[in-house]
Amino acid sequence: MLPWDAYDMLFAIAQMHDRTDKLKRNDANLSGQDDPNDSEYSVDALFPANSEARSLYDRIKHLILSLDSSLEEAPRQNYVAFKKGKSNTVCLWPKDGWIEVVLNAKIGQLSDGNDLIYDISNRKWSASQYAFKYYDTTEPEYAKDIIGQTLALKK
């Protein structure tokens, strides 16, 4: 939060340009807290029933939970996370005809002899630096191996 003299300065600048209508004071800054709207998100909104995306989602979900049934499914606005404790382990992002599976692993932590994973370290997530594309043609054993390695890192 800015000190009051900074607010005064911003107010003076806005007044000078006749734009005081644009000034807003955020008294309810909730940074660092969970979004209260997270509870409104659902798997059905991201992966509609009777769709190709839902079929893919059900297959990858079954694969993930077969490796660790204690993972918690947590839908968010743009993806579904599978969490262990408070941290995301695997996140499923719906795409057109496929799902991007984002893995909570840093560069060098996973071994992929099947060329399934790719580097996403240039994205905003510091803990998730690998992902792979899950299609209906993706070999389940390859996906199971990579996800299993990711889960082993979290034990």
Side-chain angles (χ1 to χ4, degrees):
M1 202 161 180
L2 294 172
W4 285 110
D5 58 323
Y7 283 121
D8 293 338
M9 186 185 317
L10 289 173
F11 182 78
I13 292 169
Q15 210 171 21
M16 192 170 52
H17 294 283
D18 196 26
R19 295 310 306 230
T20 54
D21 59 311
K22 297 292 182 184
L23 288 178
K24 293 182 184 175
R25 181 165 298 167
N26 187 359
D27 293 327
N29 186 354
L30 302 175
S31 66
Q33 297 178 13
D34 286 340
D35 185 354
N37 295 325
D38 275 354
S39 61
E40 298 173 14
Y41 304 134
S42 71
V43 171
D44 289 333
L46 293 166
F47 301 97
N50 300 322
S51 68
E52 180 185 355
R54 184 54 174 258
S55 172
L56 283 173
Y57 174 79
D58 289 339
R59 272 191 264 158
I60 191 78
K61 174 186 172 182
H62 176 73
L63 191 142
I64 292 167
L65 294 177
S66 74
L67 293 167
D68 187 347
S69 60
S70 70
L71 290 173
E72 175 192 343
E73 181 183 45
R76 298 294 183 241
Q77 183 175 7
N78 298 316
Y79 63 94
V80 175
F82 287 85
K83 303 172 80 129
K84 188 166 219 135
K86 289 190 173 194
S87 67
N88 295 346
T89 304
V90 177
C91 296
L92 306 178
W93 290 74
K95 303 294 182 184
D96 189 21
W98 55 285
I99 295 174
E100 184 173 46
V101 181
V102 176
L103 307 164
N104 190 325
K106 294 186 184 269
I107 296 296
Q109 290 184 316
L110 300 178
S111 172
D112 179 22
N114 302 305
D115 292 328
L116 188 65
I117 58 176
Y118 53 91
D119 181 350
I120 60 166
S121 61
N122 61 340
R123 296 189 188 170
K124 63 182 176 180
W125 313 296
S126 60
S128 299
Q129 297 181 346
Y130 283 118
F132 68 89
K133 295 178 180 182
Y134 188 77
Y135 296 95
D136 59 350
T137 58
T138 302
E139 181 62 44
E141 287 305 312
Y142 296 171
K144 197 172 191 174
D145 175 50
I146 294 299
I147 294 170
Q149 288 181 53
T150 305
L151 294 173
L153 294 172
K154 307 305 169 197
K155 289 187 177 183

